[in-house]
């Protein structure tokens, strides 16, 4: 069951194993609910057989990385927006000319939503430089973008 498809779809019926694995690669990004229905009818006469069911908490499938878009480039500042369609942004960092990664805080000071604005003050000597920006969502997907500064 998903928020978009309000009817249950059976993944497997009438099996006796105690473990069933769902191939998440077969599911599109989104929130899913799973319902497990169990019965002891194979071990009990019909009048005594019982059935029960349980619905899971929502399960998030998210394999899509955040999208990074350059919004402004006014020396020495580069501004960009990071947007994720499924899970909140978790961290963002940058590297200049392949140096060590440095963390970035969003412009509003709190990294807590699906969309954030960031600014990077680039302090570099004159010449061409490569700025790479990387943002992770809470599902661990990384989105990257690069900006060549001249």
């Amino acid at each position: 069951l998903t928020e978009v498809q309000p009817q249950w779809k059976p993944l497997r019926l009438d099996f006796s194993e105690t473990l069933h694995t769902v191939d998440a690669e077969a599911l599109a990004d989104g929130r899913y609910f799973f319902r497990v229905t169990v019965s002891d009818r194979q071990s009990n006469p019909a009048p005594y057989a019982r059935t029960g069911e349980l619905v899971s908490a929502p399960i998030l499938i998210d394999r899509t990385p955040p999208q990074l878009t350059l919004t402004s480039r006014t020396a020495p500042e580069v501004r960009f927006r990071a947007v994720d369609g499924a899970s909140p942004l978790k961290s963002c960092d940058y590297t200049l000319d392949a140096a060590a990664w440095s963390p970035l805080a969003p412009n509003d000071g709190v990294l807590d939503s699906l969309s954030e604005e960031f600014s990077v003050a680039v302090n570099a000597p004159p010449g061409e430089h490569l700025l790479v920006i990387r943002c992770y969502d809470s599902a661990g997907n990384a989105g990257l973008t690069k900006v060549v500064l001249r």
Side-chain angles (χ1 to χ4, degrees):
L1 176 73
T2 69
E3 295 161 340
V4 177
Q5 296 178 327
Q7 292 187 356
W8 293 105
K9 310 287 187 278
L11 296 176
R12 189 159 174 202
L13 298 170
D14 298 322
F15 67 101
S16 59
E17 297 84 12
T18 58
L19 177 67
H20 179 69
T21 303
V22 176
D23 179 10
E25 296 293 320
L27 301 173
D29 285 3
R31 295 191 192 287
Y32 292 84
F33 295 86
F34 294 91
R35 180 177 67 183
V36 177
T37 303
V38 296
S39 172
D40 62 0
R41 72 177 186 272
Q42 291 181 343
S43 302
N44 290 303
Y48 300 103
R50 296 189 179 239
T51 300
E53 72 178 34
L54 179 69
V55 175
S56 73
I59 307 293
L60 176 65
I61 303 293
D62 178 8
R63 289 181 297 279
T64 305
Q67 299 297 308
L68 307 178
T69 306
L70 181 68
T71 57
S72 167
R73 179 175 26 183
T74 309
E77 186 178 69
V78 175
R79 299 177 70 104
F80 66 96
R81 174 187 301 268
V83 177
D84 193 273
S87 56
L89 298 169
K90 179 180 175 184
S91 67
C92 191
D93 47 9
Y94 73 96
T95 181
L96 184 65
D97 297 329
W101 289 96
S102 299
L104 276 174
N107 292 348
D108 68 4
V110 181
L111 190 58
D112 63 349
S113 66
L114 298 173
S115 177
E116 296 284 358
E117 298 276 341
F118 295 87
S119 299
V120 180
V122 179
N123 297 314
E128 187 171 280
H129 299 279
L130 179 64
L131 175 68
V132 178
I133 301 161
R134 172 177 69 184
C135 288
Y136 286 95
D137 64 18
S138 59
N141 302 305
L144 288 99
T145 193
K146 68 180 179 179
V147 180
V148 176
L149 305 170
R150 293 183 174 93

